[in-house]
């Protein structure tokens, strides 16, 4: 009887853990896991890589940050022993496509336009479904998925969004106006842009720089599917 194939990303020491649990480990690039039953992803960066690769198999996150429920590294041995040959329920995490004149990427947590120089204000616009939502002066603006809403978004005063909902939270960063709003919008069609450029503005997707944004250049965000992660019962996550 063949062993269950399991992908490993982010920590190659987990290859031995998968093998000890009775699986057939496959360490490699996140876009090379078409023939595995699930993937073990160690760290937030590994999850981001899998989302960018449009992974379509369930993922077991290991110490992958606050936005996605994950297990501790020390729990991996026993969790994998239970998981190989069986299963756990899964949870869906929406992913955004991010499109600009020279950018095409996917984001699992957040998309940010931010002044490249500290404490420099620019003017930004937000549109949803082709309609104007807001225009404001700030250091930047961040748009977060449910998984990303517990991070930068929350520290900037944005709401925590329930998992598995196809909406985004949009929050100005250090706005010039002290009473600036924030918005929860459908993820289908959100557009960010720089309307007045007093300093270079950088585009970041999940904290990774994707270059600068020109004044008037639309950065279009849209729902682009989801990744699925295993939901391990709480009592099994941290032993």
């Amino acid at each position: 009887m063949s062993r269950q194939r399991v992908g490993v990303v982010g920590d190659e020491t987990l290859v031995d853990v998968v093998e000890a649990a009775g699986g057939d480990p496959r360490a490699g690039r996140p876009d090379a896991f078409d023939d595995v039953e699930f993937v073990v992803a160690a760290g937030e960066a590994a999850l981001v890589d899998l989302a960018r690769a449009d992974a379509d198999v369930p993922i077991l996150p290991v110490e992958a940050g606050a936005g996605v429920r994950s297990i501790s590294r020390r729990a991996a041995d026993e969790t994998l022993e239970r998981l190989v040959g069986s299963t756990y329920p899964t949870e869906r995490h929406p992913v955004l496509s991010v499109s600009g004149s020279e950018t095409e990427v996917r984001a699992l947590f957040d998309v940010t336009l931010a002044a490249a120089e500290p404490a420099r204000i620019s003017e930004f616009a937000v549109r949803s479904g082709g309609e104007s939502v807001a225009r404001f002066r700030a250091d930047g603006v961040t748009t977060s998925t449910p998984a990303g809403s517990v991070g930068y978004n929350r520290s900037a005063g944005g709401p925590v969004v329930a998992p598995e909902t196809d909406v985004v939270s949009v929050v100005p960063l250090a706005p010039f106006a002290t009473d600036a709003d924030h918005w929860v919008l459908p993820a289908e069609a959100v557009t960010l842009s720089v309307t007045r450029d007093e300093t270079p503005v950088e585009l970041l997707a999940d904290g990774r720089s994707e270059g600068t944004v020109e004044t008037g250049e639309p950065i279009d965000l849209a729902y682009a599917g989801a990744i699925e992660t295993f939901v391990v019962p709480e009592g099994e996550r941290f032993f």
Side-chain angles (χ1 to χ4, degrees):
M1 182 177 177
S2 62
R3 295 186 298 166
Q4 191 175 53
R5 293 175 176 174
V6 179
V8 178
V9 183
D11 180 356
E12 292 198 1
T13 66
L14 288 166
V15 167
D16 294 336
V17 178
V18 169
E19 194 162 29
D24 180 7
R26 302 298 175 95
R29 301 191 320 272
D31 60 355
F33 292 134
D34 292 337
D35 62 344
V36 301
E37 294 296 323
F38 67 91
V39 177
V40 184
E44 186 175 292
L47 274 184
V48 170
D49 289 341
L50 287 165
R52 290 191 173 206
D54 195 15
D56 61 356
V57 294
I59 300 165
L60 176 66
V62 180
E63 296 188 358
V68 175
R69 287 188 279 187
S70 59
I71 64 169
S72 69
R73 176 61 179 82
R74 66 180 181 274
D77 298 62
E78 293 190 38
T79 300
L80 282 163
E81 285 179 7
R82 291 185 175 95
L83 185 55
V84 171
S86 62
T87 191
Y88 283 113
T90 60
E91 185 171 66
R92 178 177 146 277
H93 302 282
V95 175
L96 298 175
S97 64
V98 185
S99 303
S101 61
E102 298 183 3
T103 302
E104 192 70 38
V105 71
R106 293 163 61 89
L108 174 61
F109 295 107
D110 48 46
V111 179
T112 301
L113 301 185
E117 299 176 16
R120 295 294 299 273
I121 287 179
S122 290
E123 188 170 89
F124 301 90
V126 179
R127 298 177 68 84
S128 176
E131 301 294 327
S132 177
V133 173
R135 187 166 173 161
F136 50 85
R137 299 188 70 201
D139 285 1
V141 57
T142 189
T143 302
S144 301
T145 66
S149 66
V150 299
Y152 198 12
N153 164 81
R154 188 178 188 181
S155 65
V160 174
V161 180
E164 300 190 288
T165 53
D166 297 330
V167 297
V168 293
S169 171
V170 182
V171 182
L173 303 176
F176 182 75
T178 57
D179 59 348
D181 290 329
H182 52 254
W183 307 270
V184 175
L185 303 172
E188 285 84 358
V190 174
T191 299
L192 309 177
S193 61
V194 182
T195 57
R196 184 164 62 183
D197 187 1
E198 299 178 5
T199 186
V201 173
E202 188 175 19
L203 168 63
L204 300 105
D206 291 331
R208 301 178 184 182
S209 177
E210 302 296 337
T212 56
V213 178
E214 299 296 327
T215 302
E217 177 188 352
I219 301 299
D220 295 318
L221 314 181
Y223 175 75
I227 62 169
E228 289 191 10
T229 61
F230 288 115
V231 179
V232 178
E234 189 169 352
E236 299 178 20
R237 293 182 207 164
F238 303 108
F239 41 69

